[in-house]
């Protein structure tokens, strides 16, 4: 299992625990429908969150076909979220504010935790590749044109 998959699953587990705790508080303060809507929104957010690992896997592949699949999955992720949240809200199946709040909490966690860590990992790989080609380490190299 690659590092971004481990990170995505570990973060998803933590977010799921936090969502259950938040739903318990909402259940205590309001009612079961509000708590259920929050869990539904968080569940939709978690599916979108974990699918980010698919997107990253495909975008970092060597094949152009897999990279195109990554772009398509990025677009499909947001299409899924729109359908998963808009249809129940339109039909009145769940309280919309609690449902969007659950999704928003997961989305906030994704942007605050997952994406910066992934960016730092990609930056460190680039610097490792750049330093691997440099045979002079720890001293100054001076080149003089002849």
């Amino acid at each position: 299992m690659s590092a971004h998959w481990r990170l995505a699953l570990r973060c998803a587990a933590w977010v799921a625990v936090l969502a259950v705790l938040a739903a318990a508080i909402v259940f205590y303060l309001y009612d079961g429908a509000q708590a259920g809507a929050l869990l539904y929104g968080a569940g939709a957010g978690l599916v979108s969150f974990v699918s980010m690992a698919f997107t990253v896997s495909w975008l970092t592949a060597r094949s152009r076909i897999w990279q195109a699949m990554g772009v398509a999955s990025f677009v499909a992720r947001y299409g899924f979220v729109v359908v998963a949240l808009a249809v129940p809200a339109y039909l009145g199946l769940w309280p919309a504010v609690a449902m969007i709040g659950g999704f928003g909490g997961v989305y906030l966690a994704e942007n605050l935790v997952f994406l910066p860590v992934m960016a730092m990992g990609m930056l460190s790989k680039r610097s490792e590749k750049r330093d691997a080609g440099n045979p002079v380490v720890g001293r100054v190299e001076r080149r003089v044109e002849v």
Side-chain angles (χ1 to χ4, degrees), residues 37-131:
L38 186 122
L39 285 175
Y40 177 81
L46 282 172
V47 170
S48 175
F49 181 82
V50 173
S51 73
M52 181 58 109
F54 278 114
T55 302
V56 171
S57 295
W58 290 339
L59 286 175
T60 58
R62 294 185 188 267
S63 169
R64 295 282 183 207
I65 294 171
W66 286 110
Q67 290 175 353
M69 291 287 291
V71 171
S73 76
F74 190 78
V75 173
R77 257 177 101 213
Y78 290 106
F80 163 76
V81 169
V82 167
V83 171
L85 296 180
V87 170
Y90 178 74
L91 296 175
L93 300 176
W94 294 106
V97 173
M99 184 174 54
I100 293 171
F103 174 78
V106 174
Y107 190 76
L108 182 67
E110 177 184 345
N111 287 319
L112 292 178
V113 176
F114 186 65
L115 293 178
V117 171
M118 284 303 299
M120 293 305 292
M122 293 175 97
L123 290 176
S124 68
K125 285 182 183 178
R126 285 184 187 165
S127 65
E128 287 172 7
K129 287 180 183 176
R130 185 180 61 233
D131 293 341

